[in-house]
Amino acid sequence: MTRKRMSEFTRRLALYCLAILALTACTSVETYSNQEQLEKISIYSFDRQDYQLHDDRVLQYMEQQIKLDIEINTGVWDDSQIDVLIAAGDYPDVITIVDSDNYGRMNKWIRDGKLVPLTEELTKGLPYLQQVLADKRLSDLKINGNFYGLPIQDELPMNSPGQHVLIIRQDWLKALHLDNPETLAELEQVLIAFKKGDPDGNQLHDSYGIIANGLTSIVKQLMGAWGIPVDARSTGFLQVGDHYEYWAIQPEVKEALAYVKKLYDQKLIHPDTLSASSNVQIRPRFIEGRTGVMIDNPNFEELIKKEEQLQRSIRQAELAILAAPAGPTGKRGYSVGSGYWGYTVITDRAKNPRAAAELLNYLLSEEGEQLTLYGVPDVHYKEVDGKKQLILEERGKDIGFHSATAGAPHELNWGIVSWSRMTEEPYLQLRDQSIPHFSAKVNENLEQLTKHLVYSAAYHITTPEWIAFKTNSEQLYDEYFNKIIRGQLGVDSGFAEFLEKWKSSGGEQAMQEMSDAIGANQ
């Protein structure tokens, strides 16, 4: 499907070339369009290239394989954009990366009839889509017996941390002759050394120990040191006696607050932590090279990217994921996530929902994965002695590969049916061609990442009361935890005030409803 407008002269020239192609040795860049009328499917997805202005041979090849005319619309990664589209009634057949943590929105769309259920009838004969929906670990995502969105599989294997982990400057540890910290006490000493020991050797003593997207984020990501799971792609509930309670009201949280307050009082925390609300905001600060530890997603592409960015000005820079540090009683672990984040949904605007389901099935298939990883056979790669060799010059011509990183997967490989599965062999083989140490880096850090884990009591369960209260809950603990860490409230008195406020604002009732729901599902 060609989207570029051609002049009359250009069209005639193209027809002339086609007419003589069989009689000449003349060649040109192959496209995969024909005169067949294809059914149109429109998609909205964040942070994509503009396929309306530029041809892409991977997309064209896919369209011919599944006989669809795929229109991809995009916008900046701002979740409110989806709400605007829905409110205006101007939304496409398929929407990707719908926040799976926003239960209220999904339930409203379902009540309003905006979403097409992925029923057995709709998915009949689509084995790859059926396989995902048959996974028993996802069964409690069903509403009224049906899935209303395809869960987008995580980059990491099941039973991996759900969100944030500690990433450390290994070169700083080496410069100061320090080992990886294994406990909270050792972590504190390392952060002090990073602050006071001049690890970058510039004699300015301008470094910091740790940076994160908010003080509360530090508390949350250290709760595993008390064996407490947090709501990082889970409910954040744990069993307490014969019932279930939310992580933020546990007495161990008070100990975590005292620990983080100690780091804050010693000025070990980068000041931008106080105003940051997302990882995107703090990554540039970390790349400046003045901070030793960062709390960020366990995304191996991002890990290597940050390391390469640091190495542009600091040749010896080296990053690694820390194993979760142990707490005062030896408990330790990162909170295990659900194995997915976000949904891809088929909307009621789809004239042919079956065609949309066929697209999802193709992307889940081995053929679809190979296409979005490597590209079109004999165009973007070639087989040599049974191994795929990338043709980087050709990959650089198609916008989905991003010319700056032509050795990476096509962007249709992520955020539609799954996030790029970075630990699986096809992905590792691809990336090793451009980054020879990629597999080694992934395997080494995956071991540290999954060495110590804590599990939530439930992952997908929710209730109406909890949906209504959860935003208020987050606002309350963020407000109180910040005040406690910054010394505006005492640790004991501030936490007691938080507990009373949280429970009286609806938390106690909402938590009881969740406890009952989790208990009934065990």
Side-chain angles (χ1 to χ4, degrees):
M1 177 181 64
T2 304
R3 298 175 176 80
K4 296 179 180 178
R5 296 180 178 176
M6 297 187 294
S7 66
E8 182 63 28
F9 172 79
T10 306
R11 285 197 296 272
R12 288 178 179 177
L13 180 61
L15 289 171
Y16 175 75
C17 286
L18 287 171
I20 66 171
L21 184 60
L23 302 176
T24 70
C26 176
T27 61
S28 62
V29 175
E30 183 180 5
T31 62
Y32 297 89
S33 59
N34 59 27
Q35 300 303 312
E36 182 181 356
Q37 187 68 33
L38 302 179
E39 181 156 11
K40 189 170 185 177
I41 292 290
S42 59
I43 300 174
Y44 182 87
S45 191
F46 296 128
D47 277 2
R48 305 290 173 172
Q49 298 295 312
D50 192 341
Y51 293 90
Q52 306 304 309
L53 294 179
H54 303 280
D55 287 337
D56 184 275
R57 288 172 291 178
V58 169
L59 179 59
Q60 292 170 346
Y61 186 89
M62 183 188 305
E63 288 173 325
Q64 292 306 311
Q65 293 300 106
I66 55 180
K67 308 303 180 188
L68 291 175
D69 176 354
I70 303 169
E71 176 186 286
I72 299 177
N73 301 295
T74 192
V76 297
W77 197 307
D78 179 353
D79 203 46
S80 65
Q81 294 296 314
I82 298 178
D83 294 318
V84 171
L85 290 174
I86 294 291
D90 186 24
Y91 50 94
D93 305 325
V94 176
I95 302 175
T96 78
I97 317 180
V98 177
D99 188 346
S100 50
D101 296 328
N102 193 333
Y103 301 110
R105 170 204 277 161
M106 282 290 291
N107 287 342
K108 184 179 188 304
W109 287 359
I110 293 168
R111 289 195 307 270
D112 293 345
K114 301 293 186 186
L115 305 184
V116 175
L118 304 180
T119 62
E120 291 185 10
E121 180 181 358
L122 180 66
T123 61
K124 185 177 181 180
L126 304 177
Y128 304 102
L129 185 54
Q130 287 178 322
Q131 183 178 359
V132 174
L133 300 180
D135 190 333
K136 292 182 178 179
R137 293 169 296 190
L138 303 176
S139 60
D140 50 8
L141 290 175
K142 291 181 178 180
I143 298 175
N144 301 325
N146 287 309
F147 287 94
Y148 281 84
L150 174 67
I152 303 177
Q153 301 172 66
D154 260 336
E155 298 106 333
L156 301 177
M158 292 294 287
N159 296 316
S160 295
Q163 189 64 332
H164 297 103
V165 296
L166 297 166
I167 296 171
I168 195 166
R169 289 280 301 272
Q170 286 284 302
D171 55 308
W172 278 18
L173 288 173
K174 292 175 182 177
L176 298 174
H177 307 289
L178 297 172
D179 295 325
N180 280 336
E182 293 289 337
T183 67
L184 287 181
E186 290 176 4
L187 176 61
E188 181 186 356
Q189 292 307 308
V190 164
L191 297 182
I192 291 171
F194 285 173
K195 173 70 175 175
K196 300 181 179 181
D198 194 26
D200 54 9
N202 67 0
Q203 299 183 342
L204 296 177
H205 298 285
D206 58 350
S207 54
Y208 291 94
I210 188 169
I211 189 169
N213 61 323
L215 294 172
T216 300
S217 179
I218 303 177
V219 175
K220 292 183 72 169
Q221 307 322 318
L222 294 180
M223 287 312 305
W226 288 269
I228 305 294
V230 295
D231 46 353
R233 301 186 185 177
S234 77
T235 60
F237 274 71
L238 63 151
Q239 187 165 4
V240 179
D242 61 356
H243 62 287
Y244 301 89
E245 294 184 0
Y246 191 51
W247 75 269
I249 68 165
Q250 301 309 305
E252 292 88 347
V253 174
K254 188 167 63 172
E255 297 180 48
L257 287 166
Y259 179 84
V260 177
K261 184 179 186 307
K262 188 160 53 167
L263 304 184
Y264 178 81
D265 290 344
Q266 297 177 85
K267 303 186 186 307
L268 305 180
I269 300 173
H270 192 294
D272 281 10
T273 297
L274 278 66
S275 58
S277 59
S278 73
N279 296 345
V280 175
Q281 293 172 300
I282 62 171
R283 284 172 187 157
R285 300 285 79 77
F286 185 72
I287 297 309
E288 290 174 356
R290 297 171 53 213
T291 309
V293 175
M294 177 186 183
I295 292 177
D296 201 0
N297 297 330
N299 179 307
F300 297 119
E301 289 280 8
E302 281 291 338
L303 178 71
I304 292 173
K305 177 182 175 181
K306 286 193 288 283
E307 185 174 83
E308 290 177 341
Q309 289 174 324
L310 279 166
Q311 288 171 349
R312 292 172 190 169
S313 55
I314 308 166
R315 184 181 304 176
Q316 72 277 13
E318 181 183 355
L319 298 180
I321 293 174
L322 274 180
T329 63
K331 294 178 180 179
R332 63 194 303 189
Y334 291 123
S335 286
V336 171
S338 61
Y340 84 98
W341 184 81
Y343 291 115
T344 289
V345 299
I346 301 174
T347 75
D348 63 330
R349 295 294 295 272
K351 295 179 180 178
N352 186 350
R354 171 71 181 192
E358 288 172 354
L359 168 62
L360 301 182
N361 185 69
Y362 179 81
L363 287 169
L364 285 166
S365 70
E366 183 177 346
E367 180 182 343
E369 182 185 19
Q370 289 294 314
L371 176 65
T372 57
L373 281 175
Y374 285 93
V376 179
D378 298 320
V379 175
H380 299 113
Y381 72 94
K382 58 184 178 181
E383 293 270 0
V384 179
D385 297 329
K387 294 184 179 180
K388 295 181 175 65
Q389 290 188 0
L390 302 182
I391 306 174
L392 295 180
E393 181 179 357
E394 289 300 321
R395 290 168 72 90
K397 295 176 182 177
D398 290 290
I399 58 170
F401 283 119
H402 304 293
S403 58
T405 53
H410 194 278
E411 67 177 19
L412 296 180
N413 186 256
W414 58 264
I416 300 180
V417 296
S418 73
W419 301 101
S420 294
R421 297 195 286 277
M422 299 176 185
T423 64
E424 296 183 6
E425 198 58 33
Y427 193 97
L428 295 175
Q429 290 177 359
L430 169 72
R431 297 304 280 136
D432 276 342
Q433 294 193 43
S434 303
I435 306 174
H437 66 285
F438 189 90
S439 289
K441 189 84 170 178
V442 167
N443 291 328
E444 175 185 316
N445 282 280
L446 183 62
E447 180 181 357
Q448 295 301 307
L449 184 70
T450 57
K451 185 179 289 186
H452 307 286
L453 301 167
V454 293
Y455 292 82
S456 175
Y459 285 88
H460 312 123
I461 293 173
T462 191
T463 67
E465 287 273 1
W466 188 251
I467 290 172
F469 176 69
K470 194 167 189 298
T471 299
N472 188 28
S473 170
E474 292 169 352
Q475 292 172 346
L476 282 171
Y477 70 61
D478 192 54
E479 174 190 350
Y480 275 91
F481 291 3
N482 269 277
K483 287 181 178 179
I484 291 169
I485 293 167
R486 298 173 71 176
Q488 297 168 341
L489 292 173
V491 175
D492 292 327
S493 60
F495 190 69
E497 184 179 329
F498 160 71
L499 282 180
E500 193 281 326
K501 183 77 170 178
W502 191 90
K503 291 180 180 180
S504 64
S505 297
E508 191 158 37
Q509 183 175 339
M511 185 171 64
Q512 182 60 56
E513 186 181 71
M514 275 291 287
S515 179
D516 293 343
I518 294 170
N521 196 61
Q522 296 303 308

